[in-house]
Amino acid sequence: MKRLIIGTRGSDLALWQANYIKDRLSGIGVEAELKIIKTQGDKILNLRLDKLEGKGFFTKELEEELLSGKIDLAVHSHKDLPTVHPAGLVIAAVPEREDPSELLLILKDCVDVTQKLSLKTGAMVGTSSNRRKAQILAVRTDLNIEDLRGNVPTRIQKLRDENYDAILLAKAGVNRLKIDLSEFHVEVIEPTELIPAPAQGALAIQIRESDTALYELLQQIHDPETASQIAVERKVLNMFEGGCHMPLGCYCKKENGKYEIWTSKADDSDAFPDRVFFRTESLDGMAEKIVSKYNPARKKPGKVFISREIGPHSYFRRALDKHNIQIEDRSLIRTFPIVNILDPFYLKNIDWIFFSSRNGVEFFFKLKPALSKKVKFGVVGRGSEDALRRHGHLADYVGESGDVQDVAVEFAALVKGETVLFPRAQDSLLTIPKALSADTKVVDLPIYETVIADETDKTFADVLIFTSPSNVEAYFKNNLLDPGQKVIAIGSSTGKKLDEMGVSYILPFSPDELGLAEAVFGLEI
């Protein structure tokens, strides 16, 4: 085959992407050279992209060169491509996807680890993404979001020059350029928390539709699984008739043989986004199902009961207030400390402390523990992580799955051969400690007990959310479900208690307010 010409933009990241494809082609015996082409997005740096007319700010000129035959293939960041291709062009290959997480880079004197995302109150955050802005403001209403343009090194230099307190970047780009970030505090925001742009982290190799021989050749560097997942994400974008400026995030991945899909959509960058989560065995028709959840005529719950108090400014309350869904929040249990003074013996030579609940965090730090700086923290989920932050500590391990069994297996592998302290409820199921290997030392510390109320008032809410097995036990001791009432369980331990009682339920992906908002918004009554 003749020597191929690869069209690319001239930024450091675009050149990395093009050279990556050049190397992959070399690996299958095909030689190629690069041709740098300037796009509209590279030339206009003083305006937000959503203020420009048309689409394809980073792709149009590359596509024109392809159609004219001046280049043989173009390498794009897949998320920059319009969802409708020009006639005569086709995406021939999609290699394996890079990590689609977001990075929050923070100047070290602007860090406050007691707050969500480790940002000080009122911090100025740089991003020109409406999607990022809507989702970040939903979890931190106090932040100031300012426009940020330029390639990755330019954006980082603007932070270094203190034009911002922090900036948001795609982790994929930073990984590919191998940029040293040691001068900043770096927070990795998982794609299940800040949902990425459709196809974020993926590359697209575009060719002329008539080049069938080249198409067949490129199948050697094509990853069908990645392609099928981002196809769903981009179909959702297309069905909403949105471009890269729409405040839309959609992310699909495969886990344990099933597809998991998260979607976040806001009306504009200042509006509160609605989130949806699906777990499915097949991607057929999933884009249509996702989009149908955003139909304003769809009947949503009128009232939700939850077995713990919800703050007036919490994410979950604001997510429900947006749709005029009432919240009945009351705990059905009481908790009491059973340890008032902490014996220093429990803290001797420990490597990790693991918390399986917010209550565990709160009761432990009331004991004013004197902790070694080398101690690391593990938490069962983001709710416990937020509680730990409020005491000035960052979690070294955060369980991402709502299934405590999965968390147990993952954490057990991480701490093999070390010593782990477990501050816990007296009636804990001990799921995590039981999963640890024989050479991992467990230091057991029951620090609080749970007391169930003798009687609990019935709720007539459309949806009942139970936050712990004890709350399940307390409610169903003298109450039954009404026909049509739906039940949501926070965490698999709570789900198991409902299983014992023969109550069907929904298990959100994550046992926190984001997961709850996804579960409630996805319901139809």
Side-chain angles (χ1 to χ4, degrees):
M1 176 171 271
K2 67 166 187 172
R3 187 180 181 88
L4 298 175
I5 301 174
I6 301 174
T8 176
R9 295 168 56 212
S11 72
D12 290 348
L13 183 55
L15 288 171
W16 182 96
Q17 293 172 172
N19 277 304
Y20 170 76
I21 298 303
K22 180 183 174 185
D23 291 344
R24 291 290 301 268
L25 288 170
S26 178
I28 58 172
V30 179
E31 295 304 310
E33 62 185 74
L34 305 189
K35 179 180 180 181
I36 297 173
I37 301 160
K38 251 194 171 176
T39 68
Q40 183 187 16
D42 297 312
K43 296 170 185 173
I44 303 174
L45 298 175
N46 62 330
L47 291 175
R48 286 174 57 101
L49 295 180
D50 57 354
K51 303 299 182 191
L52 300 177
E53 293 296 324
K55 296 179 181 178
F57 309 120
F58 296 113
T59 60
K60 185 171 178 285
E61 288 80 0
L62 289 165
E63 291 172 336
E64 288 171 350
E65 293 266 320
L66 257 181
L67 288 167
S68 67
K70 293 176 183 175
I71 60 175
D72 298 299
L73 63 152
V75 179
H76 303 283
S77 177
H78 212 320
K79 69 183 179 66
D80 292 337
L81 282 170
T83 54
V84 178
H85 299 299
L89 298 182
V90 65
I91 302 300
V94 178
E96 297 83 353
R97 187 181 206 164
E98 175 64 88
D99 185 345
S101 301
E102 306 278 8
L103 288 185
L104 181 64
L105 311 186
I106 311 173
L107 295 176
K108 288 188 175 174
D109 61 357
C110 298
V111 172
D112 180 357
V113 298
T114 67
Q115 300 211 58
K116 187 87 173 163
L117 304 175
S118 296
L119 279 165
K120 70 178 185 180
T121 301
M124 182 188 292
V125 180
T127 179
S128 289
S129 163
N130 290 333
R131 169 188 59 84
R132 288 174 178 145
K133 181 179 179 182
Q135 292 188 66
I136 286 290
L137 287 178
V139 297
R140 284 289 304 272
T141 56
D142 60 293
L143 299 177
N144 294 294
I145 311 297
E146 297 292 336
D147 290 346
L148 173 66
R149 288 288 313 276
N151 60 37
V152 173
T154 299
R155 295 181 188 203
I156 292 174
Q157 187 58 48
K158 288 179 179 180
L159 176 62
R160 196 175 281 126
D161 294 340
E162 301 187 6
N163 294 335
Y164 306 89
D165 298 321
I167 62 172
L168 272 164
L169 297 171
K171 188 169 185 270
V174 177
N175 282 359
R176 286 166 174 160
L177 295 176
K178 294 183 168 58
I179 296 172
D180 180 10
L181 302 176
S182 57
E183 66 194 283
F184 307 113
H185 175 87
V186 181
E187 292 265 324
V188 179
I189 311 178
E190 298 295 332
T192 59
E193 185 173 2
L194 201 166
I195 302 172
Q200 182 161 307
L203 301 181
I205 304 174
Q206 191 177 39
I207 66 171
R208 288 178 292 277
E209 198 169 11
S210 58
D211 285 349
T212 53
L214 180 55
Y215 182 94
E216 289 302 321
L217 179 82
L218 290 171
Q219 298 318 293
Q220 296 179 63
I221 60 173
H222 176 64
D223 183 48
E225 191 61 75
T226 296
S228 65
Q229 291 167 22
I230 66 171
V232 172
E233 300 168 13
R234 285 175 56 78
K235 187 170 183 181
V236 169
L237 178 66
N238 186 42
M239 290 181 72
F240 280 125
E241 298 180 350
C244 59
H245 59 273
M246 175 179 266
L248 173 75
C250 190
Y251 173 55
C252 175
K253 69 168 183 167
K254 197 170 189 179
E255 195 74 32
N256 298 323
K258 291 189 177 181
Y259 294 99
E260 297 174 339
I261 313 169
W262 292 261
T263 307
S264 169
K265 181 181 178 295
D267 293 334
D268 57 60
S269 63
D270 294 308
F272 194 95
D274 292 313
R275 295 174 58 115
V276 172
F277 170 70
F278 279 96
R279 184 178 279 117
T280 177
E281 292 186 356
S282 169
L283 294 178
D284 293 343
M286 285 311 303
E288 290 81 2
K289 287 182 182 177
I290 290 166
V291 171
S292 72
K293 293 295 182 182
Y294 291 89
N295 182 348
R298 184 173 66 85
K299 190 176 180 186
K300 303 176 188 70
K303 187 176 184 180
V304 170
F305 163 83
I306 182 168
S307 64
R308 72 163 177 242
E309 291 185 4
I310 298 294
H313 305 297
S314 75
Y315 181 98
F316 183 61
R317 186 174 290 278
R318 286 182 293 125
L320 269 58
D321 282 350
K322 176 181 176 180
H323 298 283
N324 300 311
I325 301 172
Q326 293 181 328
I327 296 179
E328 177 188 345
D329 55 329
R330 54 187 167 94
S331 180
L332 309 178
I333 60 173
R334 290 180 293 165
T335 52
F336 300 96
I338 56 175
V339 175
N340 294 313
I341 298 174
L342 184 60
D343 188 330
F345 162 79
Y346 286 101
L347 304 179
K348 191 175 181 181
N349 298 323
I350 59 169
D351 302 300
W352 286 83
I353 302 174
F354 188 91
F355 296 104
S356 55
S357 70
R358 302 176 193 218
N359 282 333
V361 176
E362 299 304 333
F363 280 107
F364 180 72
F365 282 101
K366 282 179 183 176
L367 297 173
K368 296 184 170 54
L371 300 175
S372 162
K373 287 186 178 179
K374 75 176 182 69
V375 170
K376 291 176 279 194
F377 295 93
V379 293
V380 74
R382 289 195 289 254
S384 301
E385 179 191 19
D386 289 344
L388 185 62
R389 277 183 181 276
R390 289 194 288 273
H391 291 280
H393 297 282
L394 292 175
D396 299 278
Y397 169 80
V398 181
E400 279 296 313
S401 168
D403 190 331
V404 72
Q405 294 285 359
D406 291 344
V407 173
V409 171
E410 198 172 69
F411 185 67
L414 179 65
V415 301
K416 186 174 170 58
E418 299 190 86
T419 301
V420 187
L421 173 69
F422 287 91
R424 63 173 179 86
Q426 195 168 41
D427 59 350
S428 168
L429 297 175
L430 303 175
T431 306
I432 307 290
K434 286 177 181 175
L436 301 188
S437 60
D439 60 345
T440 303
K441 184 179 178 183
V442 171
V443 180
D444 189 32
L445 180 60
I447 55 172
Y448 72 98
E449 65 176 334
T450 301
V451 177
I452 296 172
D454 290 334
E455 286 194 23
T456 54
D457 292 337
K458 184 178 177 63
T459 180
F460 296 95
D462 301 306
V463 181
L464 284 67
I465 301 173
F466 292 103
T467 55
S468 70
S470 300
N471 274 290
V472 172
E473 189 177 339
Y475 187 79
F476 288 103
K477 191 161 68 169
N478 51 18
N479 293 303
L480 296 173
L481 287 179
D482 285 339
Q485 284 185 316
K486 304 284 180 68
V487 175
I488 295 173
I490 295 189
S492 55
S493 298
T494 306
K496 284 175 184 172
K497 179 60 73 173
L498 288 163
D499 284 334
E500 289 174 18
M501 298 184 168
V503 176
S504 60
Y505 59 91
I506 295 160
L507 189 68
F509 172 78
S510 56
D512 58 13
E513 295 199 1
L514 290 180
L516 285 183
E518 290 167 354
V520 172
F521 182 70
L523 286 173
E524 293 190 46
I525 301 299

